[in-house]
Amino acid sequence: TYWTAFAELDLSALHHAAQSDAEARFAEAMSLLAEGNVASAESAFVAVSQQQRDVNVAVASQVMLAATLRYERKWSELRDLPLNSRLGAEDRMITSDPERWGKAFTGAAEEVITFPDMPLALRLNLTPVGTPTVRVLINGKQYDFWLDTGSSMTVVSSSVAADAGITPLSEDTLSIRTFAGSAPVKAATIKRIDLGSIVISNSPTVIIDQSLMYLRASAEGVPRGGLRVDGIIGWDTIRQFDLTMNYATGTMTLRRPEHRRLVGDSRRKLAWLGKPLVEVRTKEGAKLHFTLDTGAQATLLNAAVLEKAGVSTRVSDNRLFGIARTGRETDRVVPFLSVEVGGTSIRLENVIVYGPVLSGLINTDGILGSDVARYGPIHIDATNGVFSIGDLDAG
């Protein structure tokens, strides 16, 4: 069906299942977004969200429009999001949270990133749980920030904010989602972030209470009170780089991305559709979409796709940990998961199963964590939709 195809991100099936003009136009908007044509997708979502014939399509378009405007940092447009007159009170609640984000950041200075002429090599450090961090200067003061593609935006702890002179834009409280919960935050901007010789000015960020910026995990090297996190460089910043991370050598390379016209190219395995998604294929050829999350120490599989992935499970008690004192118990693992991801065939052992989780709109089949880095350098070039493991497409 149409909505099943949408939930599973089968855009070809979505086009074929469309039975009305509104459904066809929404499918086209999703295809534009998947191809990285964000501006055209935004325009298409605006038009489809205002049509009167199909309320379900209007609601879906409204949700995707709000996500797209936040992705583009069009804060005033997000604050003043036009609502379809046929939407009921419950439907209108869906967009109330994005509108609060728009209100909080409207009027903030526009971000500017200055790149050096040559690619920049920096030291890449790993936490005791295997996630990547980088040394940064925040308003001239030095901290270690996680490189976390699973975080939609940059995050700083309240202690770092106080130390570095970062103040909230307003007293309004927003909410961010973690893997197993949510946490209250306040909107802010960082006047200057130095990543080596890359300078980021006026970077949008959120401030979270320092007591919540600890990762509690039962891993060697993690203190009893948890692993302190100074801050997070999130997807909103990472997507603006051409980034290669080599966990084995402890090095990372940052380049200014260049548009390479790879639409329809087999190298395009990464798309932003409300979150960064990587296309993964099973040995049997089934296509899955995993959220790219370098802040997750391990790859996870959604129980909703066990049959589609062609795998079985065994009982094993596990606990998934996140910041903000969040966690989740699980009791199943997939003993072996063999997939092709980023052009490389990998075989993961004891993959933790969570859920089943059905989001109601787009269903994510799993989470691609930092454990895949054992198979080679990770290359992320969101500008061109490239994700690879190994030296297949390192720029």
Side-chain angles (χ1 to χ4, degrees):
T1 67
Y2 185 82
W3 294 110
T4 299
F6 174 56
E8 296 180 353
L9 289 177
D10 189 337
L11 299 184
S12 176
L14 188 68
H15 280 278
H16 284 100
Q19 296 182 356
S20 67
D21 177 66
E23 289 185 346
R25 290 161 63 199
F26 179 70
E28 179 60 23
M30 290 298 298
S31 293
L32 289 168
L33 196 60
E35 292 167 1
N37 194 340
V38 181
S40 295
E42 177 201 330
S43 298
F45 286 134
V46 169
V48 180
S49 67
Q50 294 304 305
Q51 55 81 32
Q52 301 290 314
R53 290 181 176 273
D54 191 323
V55 174
N56 289 330
V57 172
V59 170
S61 298
Q62 200 91 62
V63 171
M64 294 307 302
L65 173 60
T68 302
L69 290 172
R70 180 173 168 183
Y71 183 77
E72 297 176 290
R73 295 173 173 170
K74 292 187 173 181
W75 303 117
S76 60
E77 289 92 332
L78 183 59
R79 177 198 61 191
D80 302 328
L81 191 68
L83 297 177
N84 189 305
S85 60
R86 289 191 62 194
L87 298 186
E90 187 174 333
D91 294 328
R92 291 172 184 267
M93 287 294 294
I94 296 173
T95 61
S96 62
D97 183 63
E99 288 170 356
R100 284 195 294 271
W101 282 84
K103 178 183 177 183
F105 282 102
T106 293
E110 185 175 350
E111 182 184 75
V112 177
I113 300 182
T114 304
F115 287 88
D117 293 333
M118 301 296 291
L120 173 66
L122 293 176
R123 176 69 186 171
L124 181 73
N125 298 306
L126 298 178
T127 67
V129 296
T131 52
T133 70
V134 65
R135 184 66 51 87
V136 299
L137 291 179
I138 303 294
N139 294 342
K141 298 196 174 187
Q142 186 172 273
Y143 306 97
D144 291 315
F145 272 35
W146 285 36
L147 287 163
D148 186 356
T149 59
S151 175
S152 63
M153 68 187 303
T154 295
V155 180
V156 297
S157 75
S158 57
S159 60
V160 168
D163 186 48
I166 304 167
T167 57
L169 294 172
S170 74
E171 290 305 311
D172 294 340
T173 299
L174 305 172
S175 178
I176 58 169
R177 293 181 181 178
T178 68
F179 175 71
S182 62
V185 296
K186 292 187 181 298
T189 56
I190 301 174
K191 185 175 182 180
R192 178 172 174 138
I193 301 175
D194 289 80
L195 271 167
S197 54
I198 294 175
V199 178
I200 308 171
S201 303
N202 305 318
S203 178
T205 188
V206 291
I207 302 170
I208 184 172
D209 190 273
Q210 62 177 339
S211 67
L212 300 179
M213 287 292 274
Y214 284 87
L215 179 73
R216 290 168 172 80
S218 55
E220 185 177 347
V222 177
R224 176 175 292 184
L227 191 67
R228 191 185 72 186
V229 182
D230 289 338
I232 294 168
I233 300 293
W235 179 249
D236 63 334
T237 298
I238 293 172
R239 70 179 176 86
Q240 299 182 76
F241 300 143
D242 182 337
L243 169 66
T244 300
M245 296 185 290
N246 191 325
Y247 289 37
T249 62
T251 57
M252 60 185 287
T253 303
L254 295 153
R255 300 175 177 85
R256 183 198 303 271
E258 297 180 1
H259 288 276
R260 296 160 60 189
R261 299 182 180 179
L262 298 182
V263 174
D265 193 293
S266 61
R267 287 172 290 179
R268 288 190 65 94
K269 301 296 183 184
L270 173 65
W272 183 85
L273 292 164
K275 60 190 72 175
L277 299 173
V278 173
E279 181 182 307
V280 175
R281 286 193 179 271
T282 67
K283 289 192 303 181
E284 291 74 25
K287 184 189 297 186
L288 305 175
H289 293 92
F290 281 32
T291 302
L292 179 59
D293 189 354
T294 53
Q297 58 262 44
T299 294
L300 311 172
L301 188 66
N302 190 341
V305 298
L306 291 174
E307 183 176 348
K308 182 178 180 180
V311 294
S312 58
T313 65
R314 65 175 176 81
V315 175
S316 176
D317 290 332
N318 299 280
R319 181 170 176 80
L320 304 175
F321 296 92
I323 63 169
R325 301 194 188 113
T326 58
R328 181 183 296 175
E329 302 288 344
T330 72
D331 61 4
R332 287 187 292 170
V333 298
V334 174
F336 300 102
L337 179 64
S338 296
V339 293
E340 181 182 299
V341 54
T344 296
S345 296
I346 65 176
R347 186 173 188 262
L348 300 172
E349 298 182 7
N350 297 321
V351 176
I352 295 175
V353 176
Y354 67 94
V357 174
L358 300 175
S359 68
L361 276 178
I362 296 175
N363 297 326
T364 300
D365 299 323
I367 294 172
L368 197 65
S370 273
D371 54 341
V372 300
R374 74 183 69 167
Y375 291 92
I378 293 176
H379 181 210
I380 301 170
D381 175 10
T383 299
N384 295 292
V386 171
F387 175 83
S388 64
I389 301 173
D391 296 320
L392 300 172
D393 192 10

